[in-house]
Amino acid sequence: MVLKQKGTTVSYRCPKCGTWVTSLVGVFSLTADMLRLKCPCGESEMTLLYGKDKKVRLTVPCFLCPQPHNFTVSAPLFFDKDLFALPCAYSGIDICFLGKEKAVTKATKQADDELRELLGDTGYESFSAARRKLDTTFISDLQILDIINYVVRDLHEAGEISCKCTEGERDYTVEVTSEGVRVQCKRCGASAIIPVTSTLSANAFLHCEHLDLM
């Protein structure tokens, strides 16, 4: 009797060239050592590690962020789901798919359609070039965004963020822009730009005691 290896199809989008890097990952190959899926262009790779706790740890390149994202999923979820998507932690856009081959192929095609609609006439090459420029000239470390998010949550819980809304109705978002990090109330639209260009300036924001949104 031939033992059929348990496996799942994994696919991620290369941040450099935009190609979906797809491979069948088997449980035997995962138990051996860290598995690396490299893009043919040589500019990105995804790593997978199957731990003794029977959880799969993935480090996935992100075409939106300068740093990859780390995910931990259970073995049953990794090997048994027809389709499971892993999103960018900051944009919510799916950057990796796991599951059965047909379902993953369908998901990547749908993601391509959505990205083309999002980029419009820009094209992926121009988007990738702009992303690389952003990486080197603006926020080069996701730790900066983590710091801003931490401070905003802390100020919000302390009631130290003011906008046009009455107390209790406020709902804030944090996003990266070309000018800095924008904190905005989703209800009234009031916002403020925090001009951070380095981890040092972001850490300086840790001492902020009040934030006014206009």
Side-chain angles (χ1 to χ4, degrees), residues 3 14 29 75 91 110 112 115 144 179 184 196 213:
L3 181 62
C14 174
S29 60
S91 69
Q110 182 177 344
D112 280 340
L115 184 60
I144 295 175
E179 299 174 313
Q184 184 171 32
V196 291
L213 306 186

Side-chain angles (χ1 to χ4, degrees), residues 62 64-69 71 87-93 95 141-147 149 153 174-176:
C62 181
L64 294 165
C65 299
Q67 301 294 331
H69 297 301
F71 302 93
C88 164
Y90 297 98
S91 69
I93 296 177
I95 59 173
D141 191 341
L142 286 182
Q143 181 186 1
I144 295 175
L145 193 55
D146 288 337
I147 291 171
N149 271 307
R153 285 196 302 268
V174 180
E175 65 174 339
V176 176

Side-chain angles (χ1 to χ4, degrees), residues 151-161 167-172:
V151 175
V152 170
R153 285 196 302 268
D154 193 46
L155 291 175
H156 181 31
E157 291 174 0
E160 293 296 337
I161 300 181
E167 190 68 33
E169 293 182 348
R170 299 162 184 169
D171 188 6
Y172 304 113

Side-chain angles (χ1 to χ4, degrees), residues 84-155:
F84 189 76
L86 301 176
C88 164
Y90 297 98
S91 69
I93 296 177
D94 295 329
I95 59 173
C96 179
F97 296 102
L98 320 169
K100 307 303 180 186
E101 182 180 6
K102 289 185 178 179
V104 169
T105 300
K106 182 178 179 181
T108 57
K109 289 181 178 178
Q110 182 177 344
D112 280 340
D113 293 339
E114 292 173 352
L115 184 60
R116 277 193 292 268
E117 184 177 348
L118 179 66
L119 296 180
D121 297 331
T122 303
Y124 192 84
E125 289 186 2
S126 298
F127 169 77
S128 181
R131 174 187 177 279
R132 291 196 300 274
K133 183 178 180 182
L134 183 65
D135 292 352
T136 57
T137 61
F138 184 45
I139 295 183
S140 58
D141 191 341
L142 286 182
Q143 181 186 1
I144 295 175
L145 193 55
D146 288 337
I147 291 171
I148 302 301
N149 271 307
Y150 169 80
V151 175
V152 170
R153 285 196 302 268
D154 193 46
L155 291 175

